[in-house]
Amino acid sequence: MKKIGLHEIRKEFLDFFEEKGHLVAPSFSLVPKNDKSLLLIGAGMAPLKHYFTGEAIPPRNRMATCQKCIRTGDIDNVGKTARHATFFEMLGNFSFGDYFKKEAISWAWEFLTERMEIDPLDLWVTVYKDDDEAFELWNKMIGLPEEKIVRLGKDDNFWELEVGPSGPCSEIYVDRGIEYGCGDENCKPGCECDRFLEIWNLVFTQFDKDENGVYHPLPNPNIDTGMGLERMATVMEGTNNIFEIGAIRSILRKVEEISKYNYGSDEEKDVSVRVITDHARAMTFLVSDGVLPSNEGRGYVLRRLIRRASRHGKLLGINGGFLSEVVDVVINSWQIEYKDLKEKDKEIKKVIQAEEAKFQETIDQGISILEDYINEMRKKKKSVLSGEKAFKLYDTYGFPLDLTKEILLEKNLSLNEEEFKLNMERQRRRARNSRDSGDSGWGGKESKELFKDINSTFKGYETVKLETEIISLIKDNTKVNELSRFEEGVVILKETPFYGESGGQVGDKGKISGDNFTLEVLDTKLYDDLRLHNVKVVEGEVKLGDKVTASVDVLRRDAIRRNHSATHLLHKALKEVLGEHVNQAGSYVTPDRLRFDFTHFESITPNDLKKVEDRVNEMIFKGLDVETIETTLDEAYKLGAIGLFEEKYKNDVRIVKMGNYSQELCGGTHVVNTSNIGLFKIISETSIASGFRRIEAITGLSVLNFLNSIERELDELSNILKTNNTNIIEKATQIVEDIKERDKEIEKLKGKLSSNIADEIIDSKKEVKDIQYIVYKLKDMDMNSLRNLGDEIRNRLGSGVVVLASVLNDKISYVVMVTKDINKKGILAGNIIKEIAKVSGGNGGGRADMAQAGGKDISKVDESLLIVEGLIEKQMNN
């Protein structure tokens, strides 16, 4: 058997299948694309699912990958055993209607026995009990004895979904030896003991299962195989588990180094080491693929991994942030296959450091609050912490329950877990009600009753004004029959032109009027498919069933349309200029401006930003027609429309198409031609998180107003500089050059002055126990000048201690210099400066030969300098 590690195995596998005519594709992102059924990629075949179902055409009928995977179903077991892992890599070779069982089996055998040089006597296989074809191939073609081919049932050796592609599978096992076994002489694959380790699963997708459970043979069956890279490495390196293989052991060693704990010394601490080692890989790759910590979805998975690892660091006695150091090992090791890790090195560590720091604050704050609870319990002679208080720690402060239990246990106390669970369930119910509420703030059973059997039709795409009828009136969460003058409430119309806030676009405003009454529409919200008009009665009295005219504020709507359409052009332009990795991460469209958040892992150069702005304006000036297409979600993807938050889309969707330039799924309102946008101007571009940028921009009349304001400022600046607008740059450049020349003269004068001061300061030197020292107070000298002066005096003094202080703008600056020969006598600049700064309410530090500090109370500067001689004597004595 070859003695090779994880990274070498990966290369051998991919090279082998490339030689067999496979297209070797790089790992797909952990974030699924166009697959709302998955939160994260958890299997090698998951990103290729559309090729297996026939929804998409593969780039080649034979493919091989090493796919990054994350599974969080049993995250609580990660660390408790040496088997569980959150992150892993899955090697796989795939055939889409090309080769089948014969090739899959023979190539698997060839790779294992010839490339990996595994002894054939150590290999066993399982097949589905009715799969005689696979049995014959293993027995007759490969030559594996019948007793080493185990037939198992559907639970073990048949892969299927409720409907769709399915088929039998064959698993390959390595016999690790009787020392790993259960002692049963009939032990073989399928036994629960650790003797036989499954390393490769070959799935033969040969059926199409219908809704009645009938298996129809596929005319072109597929092959889907999966080999766990880490598991294979344990075999090749001869280790007991994945934490002992070389690549992962290097991460573990870093944890040992930081924690100063030797793995294997204590089982409880070993759990913490394994948690950190595993989670470090998972968090690194999640952040690399654009996931950011949050309280939901993928972001919550990442947040939990970072916080779980950070907490286990605390259990190992690590104080402060440390995860970025561990992540550094992952990046440096795995960059051999994943080049983007090194490119995103800073961004990855920045995200993890920020989240870890936030959690460290939480931990410290939580421990302080828990200690207060414990003191209170002891005063009342109680030994059980209430579940309500434990839940408050968890819910309000993010303090983990298991950490609460652990701290209590250390003090021979406990908590009421049943009460905690009751509080948790109440919170979950509140969260469910909140999720059901849409964007309107309405939610729960009460809302469902309020809006039960109410049907309203949105006509806002076609018109901004229409005749309609009031079908519901609501005030203070209760249905009413009328609203009086100055009262506020919610109106639902039978048909409405008002757009309800959604998809980043704000809701419409306007008015609803009828006989002898007028309502001001303050905002429009969305609840399911209902538009809820938040209104104020400004005139008369409105009643349920009244006939009304609903009128949207057209000028405001037009401004919103311009900004919303501009976001679509901006999205496309960013992809063109920066790359296809750019994806929308959120937007907010108001009448005044637009905000567009997107994924990008570095700052944008002014030149690229200008290219983006120019490209958007180019598409505006081209006057592209804007059309909408209503279709199914699947058809929209086939047409190439960009979809961003797939989980929010229903099956029937709306594509907004701008010429042949842009097409996106969108339910918002838009201009009819891009020329209606007028002009587009980027106001700002900033980072909002690691890997995420934000652009704010304006369109139409807002651009004109913006340019007019700049012109006014230029006029004012011209008056100040006493020139005209055309010469303003020339004039400003001249002023800057003049200032530079004067600064040079000032520096020369300072040098002369400093030299004169240095003579005076050196003359003030004193001596204590044969050590020369200088203590001197100056005025109006900044820290940089003080340091330079200190250097000069120390050099001229030759041997001794120099302590300088300066008061500038009600602040004190201190500098302490100690020559090297005096350092050897135990006198250190850092120790001196800490004490003198403390006297004036400041702090600072530095090296043995130079230190600096600040002080706050200028009245104490003389007092602080008086203690220098005593400090020198004390350090000498010590």
Side-chain angles (χ1 to χ4, degrees):
M1 185 187 297
K2 278 187 179 178
K3 290 295 180 186
I4 59 174
L6 181 141
H7 297 311
E8 293 80 12
I9 295 168
R10 185 197 297 113
K11 185 176 187 306
E12 288 275 8
F13 182 91
L14 296 176
D15 287 350
F16 177 84
F17 280 101
E18 189 170 36
E19 292 165 16
K20 302 296 183 187
H22 290 65
L23 170 67
V24 174
S27 175
F28 294 86
S29 169
L30 284 167
V31 178
K33 186 173 182 180
N34 301 339
D35 188 349
K36 56 186 176 182
S37 68
L38 296 174
L39 185 68
L40 291 163
I41 295 297
M45 64 79 64
L48 309 173
K49 193 161 66 176
H50 295 304
Y51 300 149
F52 284 108
T53 60
E55 296 172 67
I57 299 170
R60 196 181 296 176
N61 288 338
R62 297 180 182 185
M63 289 181 69
T65 63
C66 181
Q67 177 60 45
K68 300 173 288 188
C69 299
I70 281 190
R71 291 181 186 169
T72 57
D74 55 358
I75 190 172
D76 292 325
N77 288 320
V78 173
K80 292 178 182 176
T81 73
R83 296 192 308 274
H84 289 90
T86 310
F87 176 88
F88 61 95
E89 294 176 81
M90 185 68 78
L91 296 166
N93 58 292
F94 310 95
S95 166
F96 310 107
D98 185 13
Y99 62 84
F100 199 44
K101 291 182 188 178
K102 179 183 175 182
E103 293 83 357
I105 289 172
S106 63
W107 289 339
W109 188 258
E110 180 184 347
F111 177 76
L112 293 174
T113 59
E114 296 182 24
R115 281 293 176 95
M116 297 290 101
E117 299 174 9
I118 297 175
D119 189 340
L121 295 175
D122 291 335
L123 295 174
W124 289 59
V125 300
T126 63
V127 296
Y128 177 53
K129 63 184 181 67
D130 296 331
D131 191 356
D132 294 331
E133 182 186 3
F135 186 95
E136 289 292 316
L137 287 168
W138 281 116
N139 182 231
K140 305 295 184 191
M141 180 179 73
I142 299 300
L144 204 60
E146 287 188 20
E147 61 272 16
K148 298 186 79 172
I149 308 169
V150 182
R151 291 181 185 262
L152 295 175
K154 232 180 182 187
D155 289 344
D156 297 295
N157 278 70
F158 199 93
W159 182 86
E160 64 181 335
L161 301 171
E162 288 186 16
V163 293
S166 58
C169 59
S170 180
E171 296 174 335
I172 305 173
Y173 289 77
V174 171
D175 183 354
R176 305 173 75 195
I178 56 174
E179 62 270 25
Y180 289 94
C182 55
D184 187 340
E185 61 181 16
N186 295 315
C187 182
K188 57 187 175 182
C191 181
E192 294 297 320
C193 72
D194 293 331
R195 176 174 176 176
F196 295 94
L197 181 69
E198 180 212 331
I199 55 171
W200 206 342
N201 188 12
L202 315 178
V203 179
F204 313 127
T205 313
Q206 62 192 80
F207 300 115
D208 183 15
K209 182 183 175 184
D210 66 22
E211 293 176 354
N212 298 316
V214 178
Y215 299 95
H216 304 281
L218 286 168
N220 297 303
N222 305 312
I223 289 292
D224 160 26
T225 85
M227 175 197 286
L229 178 57
E230 292 82 358
R231 188 174 290 192
M232 188 64 183
T234 65
V235 172
M236 301 309 295
E237 295 186 41
T239 66
N240 290 322
N241 57 68
I242 65 171
F243 292 96
E244 294 176 7
I245 63 178
I248 296 177
R249 180 76 199 195
S250 66
I251 308 171
L252 190 146
R253 278 197 293 269
K254 189 65 179 179
V255 180
E256 286 183 302
E257 177 192 320
I258 297 168
S259 65
K260 297 179 173 57
Y261 164 72
N262 292 322
Y263 183 70
S265 307
D266 178 282
E267 182 48 41
E268 284 189 14
K269 289 188 175 180
D270 286 352
V271 169
S272 295
V273 173
R274 287 194 291 266
V275 167
I276 297 166
T277 301
D278 170 82
H279 289 6
R281 286 202 301 162
M283 67 179 74
T284 300
F285 281 96
L286 279 169
V287 177
S288 172
D289 283 342
V291 179
L292 291 177
S294 69
N295 286 329
E296 58 185 13
R298 301 172 192 111
Y300 178 69
V301 171
L302 175 60
R303 171 161 284 168
R304 190 177 177 200
L305 290 168
I306 295 172
R307 293 190 165 195
R308 193 166 188 258
S310 179
R311 186 181 73 79
H312 278 278
K314 280 270 187 187
L315 297 180
L316 287 173
I318 303 172
N319 293 316
F322 70 96
L323 288 177
S324 64
E325 293 180 58
V326 185
V327 162
D328 206 40
V329 177
V330 179
I331 292 171
N332 289 327
S333 181
W334 268 261
Q335 65 169 316
I336 191 171
E337 176 66 19
Y338 305 100
K339 310 294 184 196
D340 59 327
L341 290 180
K342 202 62 183 174
E343 294 167 8
K344 300 170 184 174
D345 180 298
K346 290 180 182 176
E347 289 83 357
I348 292 168
K349 287 188 277 194
K350 186 177 176 184
V351 169
I352 291 167
Q353 283 170 339
E355 181 63 24
E356 186 182 17
K358 194 185 297 181
F359 184 57
Q360 292 286 345
E361 290 174 16
T362 297
I363 286 285
D364 294 338
Q365 186 180 21
I367 287 174
S368 174
I369 294 166
L370 181 55
E371 284 173 353
D372 289 341
Y373 289 162
I374 290 170
N375 291 333
E376 185 184 329
M377 288 166 64
R378 283 178 171 157
K379 283 178 186 175
K380 295 180 179 179
K381 296 183 178 178
K382 290 184 177 180
S383 61
V384 180
L385 179 69
S386 75
E388 185 179 352
K389 286 183 175 175
F391 180 75
K392 184 178 181 182
L393 269 173
Y394 169 82
D395 188 50
T396 306
Y397 302 103
F399 199 71
L401 176 66
D402 49 357
L403 189 53
T404 300
K405 288 163 66 177
E406 186 172 336
I407 293 169
L408 289 171
L409 189 62
E410 287 170 2
K411 301 179 185 298
N412 296 317
L413 302 170
S414 62
L415 69 85
N416 187 331
E417 286 195 60
E418 287 303 314
E419 191 180 358
F420 177 89
K421 288 174 184 175
L422 283 172
N423 278 272
M424 177 69 86
E425 184 52 39
R426 289 192 197 107
Q427 172 72 325
R428 282 176 182 150
R429 282 200 297 270
R430 286 194 294 270
R432 279 196 295 271
N433 291 340
S434 175
R435 282 197 297 272
D436 289 341
S437 68
D439 292 328
S440 66
W442 302 89
K445 291 180 181 177
E446 297 84 359
S447 297
K448 287 178 182 176
E449 287 301 314
L450 273 176
F451 306 126
K452 188 178 179 182
D453 299 327
I454 297 178
N455 296 304
S456 176
T457 305
F458 176 59
K459 296 283 187 178
Y461 294 136
E462 301 90 29
T463 184
V464 290
K465 184 176 182 179
L466 55 78
E467 305 298 318
T468 183
E469 178 186 342
I470 294 176
I471 57 174
S472 184
L473 285 173
I474 299 165
K475 180 177 170 57
D476 297 330
N477 241 21
T478 305
K479 286 185 178 181
V480 295
N481 292 319
E482 60 185 30
L483 289 174
S484 301
R485 192 179 181 194
F486 303 133
E487 280 192 308
E488 293 186 12
V490 173
V491 166
I492 301 177
L493 302 173
K494 187 175 183 180
E495 292 181 328
T496 180
F498 287 84
Y499 182 85
E501 182 173 345
S502 63
Q505 179 177 325
V506 296
D508 280 333
K509 296 183 179 182
K511 68 176 183 177
I512 297 171
S513 56
D515 291 341
N516 302 317
F517 67 84
T518 302
L519 313 177
E520 181 186 355
V521 179
L522 307 171
D523 198 3
T524 309
K525 297 289 186 181
L526 194 65
Y527 176 79
D528 287 343
D529 286 329
L530 292 176
R531 273 76 187 168
L532 309 181
H533 310 84
N534 294 331
V535 302
K536 180 179 182 180
V537 184
V538 294
E539 185 179 2
E541 183 181 86
V542 61
K543 294 181 180 177
L544 186 66
D546 279 344
K547 304 292 183 185
V548 295
T549 300
S551 307
V552 174
D553 181 335
V554 178
L555 291 177
R556 185 175 179 276
R557 165 76 82 86
D558 284 345
I560 293 169
R561 282 172 170 159
R562 286 192 290 269
N563 286 334
H564 199 155
S565 296
T567 63
H568 287 223
L569 296 178
L570 173 60
H571 190 189
K572 180 66 175 178
L574 285 166
K575 282 179 172 288
E576 287 181 330
V577 175
L578 303 179
E580 282 298 319
H581 66 278
V582 169
N583 279 309
Q584 182 177 339
S587 67
Y588 191 60
V589 180
T590 72
D592 305 315
R593 63 177 52 205
L594 64 94
R595 188 182 75 206
F596 189 80
D597 300 340
F598 57 98
T599 54
H600 187 56
F601 289 98
E602 60 183 352
S603 58
I604 303 174
T605 65
N607 186 46
D608 280 345
L609 203 60
K610 186 70 170 62
K611 284 180 185 176
V612 170
E613 185 178 271
D614 289 347
R615 186 64 168 151
V616 173
N617 280 312
E618 181 186 340
M619 292 304 126
I620 291 171
F621 299 150
K622 277 191 174 182
L624 304 175
D625 285 331
V626 178
E627 59 176 315
T628 56
I629 304 166
E630 293 185 358
T631 183
T632 63
L633 184 59
D634 288 342
E635 190 61 30
Y637 285 131
K638 287 176 185 176
L639 290 171
I642 297 174
L644 299 163
F645 305 104
E646 288 89 353
E647 64 273 19
K648 294 184 180 179
Y649 294 131
K650 296 181 179 178
N651 190 50
D652 294 323
V653 295
R654 184 170 176 264
I655 299 174
V656 175
K657 193 169 182 289
M658 299 183 180
N660 293 320
Y661 185 67
S662 164
Q663 52 179 359
E664 294 189 17
L665 300 182
C666 183
T669 60
H670 290 274
V671 297
V672 296
N673 187 284
T674 57
S675 62
N676 299 142
I677 299 171
L679 275 174
F680 172 82
K681 181 68 186 170
I682 294 175
I683 301 301
S684 68
E685 189 277 327
T686 56
S687 169
I688 54 171
S690 178
F692 288 81
R693 313 291 300 179
R694 170 173 291 171
I695 282 177
E696 294 198 34
I698 52 178
T699 63
L701 289 172
S702 293
V703 178
L704 182 61
N705 294 335
F706 175 75
L707 294 175
N708 286 337
S709 70
I710 289 177
E711 189 174 29
R712 285 194 298 272
E713 288 174 2
L714 279 173
D715 288 341
E716 289 178 26
L717 191 56
S718 298
N719 289 333
I720 293 168
L721 298 178
K722 294 182 172 55
T723 187
N724 55 50
N725 288 357
T726 56
N727 293 327
I728 197 166
I729 293 175
E730 191 178 310
K731 182 73 173 180
T733 304
Q734 181 189 327
I735 291 170
V736 169
E737 289 301 320
D738 289 345
I739 291 170
K740 284 180 181 177
E741 287 300 317
R742 289 175 188 177
D743 284 345
K744 287 178 185 177
E745 289 298 317
I746 291 168
E747 286 302 314
K748 285 180 185 177
L749 291 170
K750 274 186 178 180
K752 289 178 182 178
L753 183 62
S754 178
S755 181
N756 293 334
I757 293 172
D759 291 337
E760 182 182 318
I761 293 173
I762 289 172
D763 288 341
S764 71
K765 70 183 176 183
K766 296 178 182 178
E767 196 171 293
V768 57
K769 292 192 176 182
D770 297 327
I771 292 176
Q772 297 182 102
Y773 74 94
I774 290 172
V775 179
Y776 203 89
K777 182 177 77 170
L778 302 109
K779 287 184 180 179
D780 301 328
M781 189 170 280
D782 60 31
M783 181 62 81
N784 190 48
S785 301
L786 201 63
R787 258 197 323 267
N788 292 336
L789 181 60
D791 278 333
E792 183 181 346
I793 293 168
R794 178 177 57 183
N795 293 339
R796 288 172 61 178
L797 189 63
S799 173
V801 178
V802 179
V803 180
L804 303 178
S806 173
V807 177
L808 174 66
N809 298 328
D810 293 328
K811 289 183 180 177
I812 310 168
S813 295
Y814 294 104
V815 165
V816 177
M817 304 277 187
V818 180
T819 56
K820 297 288 185 183
D821 61 313
I822 303 301
N823 283 153
K824 291 175 182 176
K825 295 183 179 182
I827 297 172
L828 307 176
N831 291 347
I832 293 173
I833 206 150
K834 280 178 189 173
E835 296 304 319
I836 61 175
K838 198 186 295 181
V839 174
S840 60
N843 56 66
R847 305 187 307 269
D849 60 334
M850 196 284 283
Q852 63 186 50
K856 296 176 183 175
D857 187 349
I858 61 173
S859 68
K860 302 275 189 179
V861 66
D862 292 326
E863 184 183 335
S864 68
L865 295 177
L866 285 173
I867 70 170
V868 172
E869 183 176 327
L871 291 172
I872 294 172
E873 284 190 277
K874 184 179 178 182
Q875 286 194 34
M876 281 188 69
N877 294 334
N878 289 336

